[in-house]
Structure formats: C-alpha cells, structure tokens
Amino acid sequence: MSAFNIQEFSARRHRLMQLMGNGIAIVPTAPEVIRNRDSHYPYRFDSYFYYLTGFKEPEAVVVLIAEQSKSILFCRDKDMEREIWDGFRYGADAARETFGFDEAYSISELDAVMTKLLANQPKLYFSLGESPVWDQRITSWLNVLRTQARAGISVPDDIADVRKLLDEMRLYKSPFELALMQRSADIAAGAHNRAMQFTRPGQMEYEVEAEFLHEFYRNGAQAPAYTSIVASGANACTLHYNANNTQIKDGDLLLIDAGCELDGYASDITRTFPANGRFTAPQKDLYELVLSAQAAAIAQVNPTQHWNAPHEAALDVLIQGFIDLKLCRGSKEAVLDSGAYRQFYMHRTGHWLGLDVHDAGEYQSKSDGKKAGAHTWRKLEPGMSLTVEPGCYVRPAENVPEHFWNIGIRIEDDVLVTTDGCKVLTEKAVKTVSEIEALMRH
Ligand code: GLY
Ligand code: MN
Ligand code: MN
C-alpha cells in the first residue's frame, strides 16, 4: 500500500466529525456473501466505509467520536492459519499505522468496546435500516447501556442517518478521486474502442463481453462496475439486457453498456455501433438524433444549470427528432405533455457517478418559501460528476415505421462539472458516425 493517501482519508473523517458537531458515528463495511456452498461472491467493501477509511478488508467497522476528534478502526486479527488459506490481513496495529487511525482494535472486541464508547454520547450516527444484523447489534449495545442508567450512564437520545452527511460529502469529488475516475474512464473508453475493432457479424455477444473483461483486468481495474450489457439487434431494446448470449448478425447494431471499477471508482460508458462497420440509413438517422440529444444535454452541464437541465435538453431534441422521423405525431408540446415520447425514450438522462455507479447524493433540494414537501432540482456545482446517457429504443408496433423496428441506441458519457463548464471524462471512446466507421475499417 505504498501509494496510500493517509491525508485524504483522514481529512474525510475529520470533515464528517465537523459536520456531526458532537456524538458518535458507527460505519461498518459490507459482509462477505456466500454464492453457493463454499464459494463467495467477489468481495466488495461498503462504499461509505471505504470512503472514510481506504480499508478494503471485510469484517471491519470505523467509529468516529466527534468531540474528541478521534477515529477508531475495528478489524480482523492477524492470523497465520487464515492468511495461509485466504491471504494477507493487516491486523489492528498495522492497520492503525498504515491507515492513520487514532486507535484500532480486534473486531472480536467490538461488543465490549462499543458499549463503553457509546456511554454518555448525546447522538448516534448510523445507517439505521440498512442491515437488520447491524440494527439489532447496535440496539443490543444501547440496551446494555440502559441497564446502567442507575449508575448515571446515559444512552444517546438521538439517532441520525450518517448517510445524509456522507452523501453530500461524496457528491463533490476531490482531485484525488478525480484522478482515479479519469483512469477508470480511460480504461473503459479503451475497452469500447477495442470492442469496435474486434466485433464482426457471426460472433457471440459474450465474445465481445470477454474483450471488455480482458481490457479491464489487464489495465488494473479490479472488476466491472456493473454487469456489462452487450446487446445486439432487438436485444438493445431491453434496457437491462445482460444474457449476452445471442449471435451477432450482419446488419445488427450492437449496444454495449460497460464500465470498470478502479480502486472503488466506477466508469459507465455506452456505445452503439454497427456490427459490420457501416450504419444503415435508418440506423444512422436514429444514431445522429441520439448523438445530438447527448450534445445538447452535455452543453447544459455547467454551474449555471440545475440537475434536470441536461434531461430537459435531451428530451427537447429527441422529441423534435421523433416527430421529424414520424415516430411521434403532433406538436412538441403535445408529445411532451402526453408523454408519447416514452414509447421510445423511457429512462432519465443520467445519474451521479462515483464510488457507486449510481452514486450517492440528492437530486433535489428543499426549496425555501414553498409549501412543505415541495422540492426543486439542485444546482450543478464544480466537482459533481454525472453520466449523460440519452437513448432511443424502438420496438415493433403498428404506429412505427418498419425500417426503425428493433433499433436500440444509447450513447453514455461520464462528465465532471467544472468552474466554467464541464469535462467529458470518457471522450476517448469514439462516438461520431465517421469516427466509428473509420475505426472499424482498420
Ligand atoms: N450501466 C448502468 C447505467 O447506465 O445506469
Ligand atoms: Mn449510467
Ligand atoms: Mn451505463
């Protein structure tokens, strides 16, 4: 762990304790999950826990005590027997040193130490409701303390959701995070370009998926950020298609939604291209439409705009295109108001991106002066990162010109809001018709 950035993670813990003001926060990492019999799913740490610690081992909990500005890690013991089977473990002492905690204990001491740490704390920050196991365990610590009331020990009166504070912090990416996100984006963009060069009609979708996995792993990404979608022909009209087991036909478009995870950070890219390297006229009409909707949406990603502006801009372009191409009838306003466009565009234009592919953070903010429950879209601010991913999915239907049937297109990039506009992190993945056709010719 030579490159581990102690300051970055310790600054996050201190920031959280500042936001808490007082009280104690408890953030456990994710459990290991059995897949079948003795095999586990690949382990993935909890994103909140990782954000605060940089610590990737399972069976760990971080505890922050705001008034003392103290951070404490609980983790697995060193254990030569287990390490022979499963690999290296830090153990409490080395973890404290390496990751910069004030104190560290064996996870086996958690119950005993926590009942002491919780005593007389005014407020408990925890993600109540996330895991019944942790809800019950923490409740049991509070109950132990309640039996000590006559000895003058008090139990926190207040329980607050620690995720509320962490979500806001996670929304604004630091330079350290952005370097990882850019690297994650570069690896995924390279994989999309590689897929365009590799693909030929007659291959199976899973052969193309294998190109992605190879490109991700050989560049040091630890995993795909989500299950890759490799959808040829009509499969592209199933939004979450991931069987990836169809033979790719001559004349098909191939929609690929695939990104990787690098040190926790996701990239999320979709490209759609013709398997044989040449768009047909109807494919090109719809492709150019989605591409111009995406350009209009990206132009709205800047600090003068709110969260929904890119979606509104994409919809405006798509609806006009649907009318021009005779997919929708009537005026733009009528198609928007009736929602008729949803036959072809039924999802939103993006989401926050970071440690989670659909990252933490509110999309709306409570608006002052409006009645209770009223919200407005939050403003975009420098450091926020999001995807911009309009699409168009045409299933066979009587009201649809037949030459568009079974065409599914999405174009997705990862974008960072900057002080004067935005930066497209995934711009290395080619996406104009001429760039794609040129790349596929070689
Ligand atoms: N790949 C998931 C998404 O695009 O939201
Ligand atoms: Mn996405
Ligand atoms: Mn995606």
Side-chain angles (χ1 to χ4, degrees), residues 13 52-53 62 71-73 95-97 99-104:
R13 295 193 291 271
L52 290 171
T53 62
V62 62
S71 54
I72 303 169
L73 180 76
R96 188 191 60 241
E97 285 273 300
F99 293 86
F101 294 97
D102 299 303
E103 293 173 16

Side-chain angles (χ1 to χ4, degrees), residues 132-153:
V133 173
W134 282 106
D135 287 357
Q136 197 185 15
R137 192 149 180 198
I138 290 178
T139 305
S140 75
W141 300 336
L142 297 176
N143 285 340
V144 169
L145 284 186
R146 285 188 185 104
T147 65
Q148 298 168 6
R150 267 173 292 174
I153 290 184

Side-chain angles (χ1 to χ4, degrees), residues 69-206:
S69 199
K70 188 190 268 189
S71 54
I72 303 169
L73 180 76
F74 292 83
C75 66
R76 300 183 303 190
D77 293 318
K78 280 214 74 71
D79 179 340
M80 269 330 285
E81 172 70 13
R82 288 315 322 158
E83 291 184 52
I84 285 169
W85 286 88
D86 301 330
F88 175 79
R89 305 171 167 204
Y90 276 92
D93 289 341
R96 188 191 60 241
E97 285 273 300
T98 310
F99 293 86
F101 294 97
D102 299 303
E103 293 173 16
Y105 298 95
S106 161
I107 191 74
S108 64
E109 295 181 81
L110 186 67
D111 292 328
V113 178
M114 281 315 301
T115 44
K116 293 201 185 91
L117 293 179
L118 276 164
N120 303 319
Q121 285 293 338
K123 189 163 179 175
L124 166 60
Y125 286 87
F126 170 62
S127 50
L128 187 69
E130 166 85 4
S131 147
V133 173
W134 282 106
D135 287 357
Q136 197 185 15
R137 192 149 180 198
I138 290 178
T139 305
S140 75
W141 300 336
L142 297 176
N143 285 340
V144 169
L145 284 186
R146 285 188 185 104
T147 65
Q148 298 168 6
R150 267 173 292 174
I153 290 184
S154 71
V155 181
D157 316 306
D158 233 353
I159 299 188
D161 195 332
V162 68
R163 291 172 293 191
K164 276 217 141 159
L165 302 177
L166 285 169
D167 285 352
E168 278 302 298
M169 290 173 61
R170 284 175 54 184
L171 197 47
Y172 301 86
K173 272 66 181 180
S174 68
F176 173 82
E177 293 180 286
L178 288 171
L180 289 171
M181 290 187 70
Q182 184 63 68
R183 176 82 188 123
S184 180
D186 287 345
I187 295 170
H192 279 269
N193 292 342
R194 173 170 161 178
M196 287 179 202
Q197 291 169 290
F198 171 82
T199 300
R200 295 288 174 272
Q203 290 166 340
M204 301 299 287
E205 291 165 344
Y206 53 69

Side-chain angles (χ1 to χ4, degrees), residues 382-403:
M384 293 176 171
S385 65
L386 58 143
T387 66
V388 180
E389 50 178 307
C392 165
Y393 315 89
V394 189
R395 285 173 178 264
E398 270 184 11
N399 66 339
V400 173
E402 202 171 331
H403 51 265

Side-chain angles (χ1 to χ4, degrees), residues 226 229 256-259 267-270 351 357-358 387 389 410 412 414:
Y226 51 90
I229 296 170
I256 303 178
D257 186 342
S267 44
D268 181 8
I269 305 181
T270 308
H351 48 82
V357 66
H358 293 180
T387 66
E389 50 178 307
R410 180 165 60 257
E412 174 174 29
D414 303 343

